[in-house]
Amino acid sequence: MHSKSSTIRTRRTVTTFAALLTGALALSACSSSNDNGEKGSGGQTGEATGSTLTLPKLNGANLEIAAVWTGQEQKNFKQVLAEFEKRTGAKVTFVPAQDPIINFVGSKIAGGQPPDVAMLPQPGAIKQAVQRGWAKPIGPDALKELQKNYSQGWQDIGKVDGKQYGVYYKAANKSLIWYNAKVFANAGAKEPKTWQDLLTTTRAVYDSGVTPFSVAGADGWPLTDWFENVYLSQAGPQKYDELAQHKIKWTDPSVKQALTTLAQIWGKKDYLAGGQDGALQTEFPASVTQTFTGGDQPKSAMVYEGDFVQVNIGETKAKVGTDAKVFPFPAVGSTAPVVSGGDAAVVLKDSKAAQALVTFLASPDAATIEARLGGFLSPNKNVPVSAYPNAVQQKIAKALIASGDDFRFDMSDQAPQAFGGTPGKGEWKDLQDFLKNPTDVAGTQAKLEKDAAAAYGSGS
């Protein structure tokens, strides 16, 4: 059995973060980047200059860092790497990777050309890299920086057998629903607090003549996030942890309940842009942009996903906080869910330069650069809240840091890669099949359990 109990230290309730987030998102957004001028708890400014972080001179060193990021996300990260180059004299090459990145890393290692550092999004992938002898523990400088800037929960997610291998440079709040404010106003729709409220809002939007939801069914991972939010809120944190570790089966009645709840939206063709077939052809970026283009008649009114949606909204004329607004994923059970994800820097080729890069990524200096560019959230508590470019993002960041360890990490990211992180396989494929036929709850459960048992049994 592939257990992740050692990587999650979030046993307290998620109520704190949910309450903070609800209050935070109730505030109207603005374009100002100095909403409150707060600094991190360490009192650092996190600016790229004038930092107390000391990095070695690495003139002549060449590094490769691999990640699956594309588009604006990749461009923004390259600005962070440019600052590292400026400070150290090293040359860093960004290597575009494919999902699942653990397979990409494996092929590079097999060919004798592994990147020096890889950004691994799943705790399960970090564990696999360690088990296969690919990952190297982070050095004392990086560890010191990590311990200074991160809560214990975020440190523990990057550990395997008590040893630190991953530095979670990037976080995601995956419990958000974004909506077209003009459509809501025309429909007289209100921001929902409960799942029943969401169904009422969805009906109001539909009756106004706009399709309620864009669902990114072409990409399996947003479907897993939908499920996780419903499941966490409905079944509760303990069941969530048990299912994440495969201590209970996917044929459990709690999974049936969650899938049945999801089908209240996924099962209504008219509620999905393009119907089920159209949703299965819609990739994540398009699910966002089509919600915020088209004036009074966009292809959809709402799109579910994390804070990083702002990057894609930025590709439209919509302004976050005015045209594009957001509310926390509604409570299906007694409390609203708080699901987080992230990307961790992991050293694959141990060297002074690779360790220096990971040290830099563990510092507030690196994350502050990308925070200012938008569409980014850091678990680093010493990144100043004022670095985030609008009030919505600032409040999301503030709530994340204030929550400490009160969150649950993305369930599929905790699973073995073959089940929780591979396009066309495992949970991704099974939930795509469910989106295509949301009446087949029992069949979906059986497929999920079969695929989970195979993946957890092999640990791959």
Side-chain angles (χ1 to χ4, degrees):
M1 183 170 290
H2 185 94
S3 174
K4 285 293 176 302
S5 59
S6 64
T7 65
I8 299 296
R9 297 291 183 267
T10 57
R11 287 186 264 269
R12 299 199 299 275
T13 67
V14 299
T15 308
T16 305
F17 192 5
L20 279 165
L21 193 59
T22 301
L25 298 180
L27 298 176
S28 61
C30 62
S31 60
S32 170
S33 63
N34 57 1
D35 176 65
N36 49 30
E38 291 191 30
K39 296 180 180 178
S41 60
Q44 300 181 43
T45 64
E47 296 286 354
T49 57
S51 169
T52 57
L53 179 68
T54 301
L55 294 170
K57 292 303 177 185
L58 302 167
N59 295 323
N62 289 287
L63 285 168
E64 288 187 344
I65 183 166
V68 296
W69 301 329
T70 59
Q72 193 61 46
E73 196 172 23
Q74 182 185 127
K75 291 178 184 176
N76 290 355
F77 184 60
K78 284 182 176 179
Q79 293 196 39
V80 177
L81 299 180
E83 177 64 22
F84 177 78
E85 291 178 327
K86 179 180 174 184
R87 293 196 192 187
T88 63
K91 171 67 176 173
V92 186
T93 301
F94 182 92
V95 179
Q98 292 82 44
D99 258 328
I101 190 171
I102 194 72
N103 292 356
F104 174 85
V105 167
S107 67
K108 288 289 187 181
I109 288 173
Q113 294 182 315
D116 298 86
V117 178
M119 304 300 292
L120 302 183
Q122 295 97 357
I126 297 174
K127 185 169 184 178
Q128 283 179 253
V130 173
Q131 290 172 335
R132 294 173 184 178
W134 301 345
K136 314 300 179 188
I138 67 171
D141 290 342
L143 188 61
K144 180 181 177 182
E145 200 67 24
L146 184 71
Q147 292 171 342
K148 182 171 66 175
N149 298 316
Y150 289 76
S151 73
Q152 193 62 49
W154 281 104
Q155 292 178 48
D156 288 346
I157 294 169
K159 289 180 180 177
V160 177
D161 297 329
K163 190 171 289 188
Q164 196 77 48
Y165 288 90
V167 170
Y168 271 88
Y169 166 73
K170 185 174 185 178
N173 173 358
K174 293 190 171 187
S175 297
L176 302 172
I177 295 179
W178 300 81
Y179 68 93
N180 186 309
K182 187 175 289 187
V183 171
F184 264 47
N186 290 344
K190 297 180 180 178
E191 293 187 2
K193 297 195 183 315
T194 67
W195 184 261
Q196 193 56 49
D197 291 344
L198 179 63
L199 297 179
T200 301
T201 294
T202 298
R203 183 71 196 189
V205 168
Y206 173 74
D207 288 344
S208 76
V210 177
T211 303
F213 276 100
S214 275
V215 174
D219 300 313
W221 59 268
L223 305 184
T224 70
D225 292 346
W226 267 98
F227 171 82
E228 288 157 10
N229 277 275
V230 170
Y231 191 83
L232 175 58
S233 183
Q234 194 170 59
Q238 182 176 343
K239 282 271 194 183
Y240 184 95
D241 291 345
E242 290 172 351
L243 188 60
Q245 298 165 30
H246 203 221
K247 288 183 176 178
I248 57 173
K249 294 184 176 182
W250 285 81
T251 49
D252 190 84
S254 61
V255 177
K256 177 182 178 180
Q257 187 181 19
L259 291 173
T260 302
T261 299
L262 268 179
Q264 292 177 325
I265 290 176
W266 289 10
K268 295 188 181 298
K269 180 180 178 181
D270 292 342
Y271 281 4
L272 309 180
Q276 284 90 354
D277 289 343
L280 285 165
Q281 296 174 46
T282 303
E283 296 180 340
F284 168 67
S287 74
V288 179
T289 55
Q290 70 184 19
T291 304
F292 299 104
T293 53
D296 289 338
Q297 290 293 316
K299 289 187 177 179
S300 61
M302 290 177 278
V303 60
Y304 156 73
E305 253 313 335
D307 56 282
F308 45 84
V309 162
Q310 291 180 92
V311 171
N312 306 94
I313 294 174
E315 296 171 0
T316 73
K317 294 180 180 178
K319 301 297 182 188
V320 172
T322 52
D323 309 308
K325 294 188 176 181
V326 62
F327 55 85
F329 199 98
V332 187
S334 58
T335 59
V338 181
V339 178
S340 186
D343 296 271
V346 176
V347 174
L348 302 177
K349 285 171 64 177
D350 203 359
S351 67
K352 182 179 179 180
Q355 291 288 353
L357 179 56
V358 172
T359 301
F360 181 60
L361 294 177
S363 75
D365 300 29
T368 296
I369 295 169
E370 194 156 355
R372 294 194 188 286
L373 300 172
F376 173 83
L377 184 64
S378 173
N380 188 316
K381 64 187 179 184
N382 287 322
V383 173
V385 174
S386 59
Y388 294 94
N390 59 64
V392 167
Q393 188 74 3
Q394 289 169 2
K395 301 309 177 184
I396 292 172
K398 190 174 181 181
L400 174 66
I401 299 306
S403 72
D405 298 340
D406 292 345
F407 62 92
R408 283 300 186 275
F409 203 86
D410 185 302
M411 186 189 294
S412 62
D413 284 355
Q414 296 181 55
Q417 193 85 24
F419 179 68
T422 302
K425 289 184 64 178
E427 189 182 359
W428 291 22
K429 177 64 163 60
D430 296 340
L431 289 180
Q432 286 174 321
D433 290 345
F434 179 64
L435 176 59
K436 188 174 185 178
N437 182 16
T439 61
D440 189 18
V441 173
T444 300
Q445 285 185 271
K447 285 193 289 186
L448 284 163
E449 176 54 29
K450 179 182 178 182
D451 290 339
Y456 280 81
S458 65
S460 63

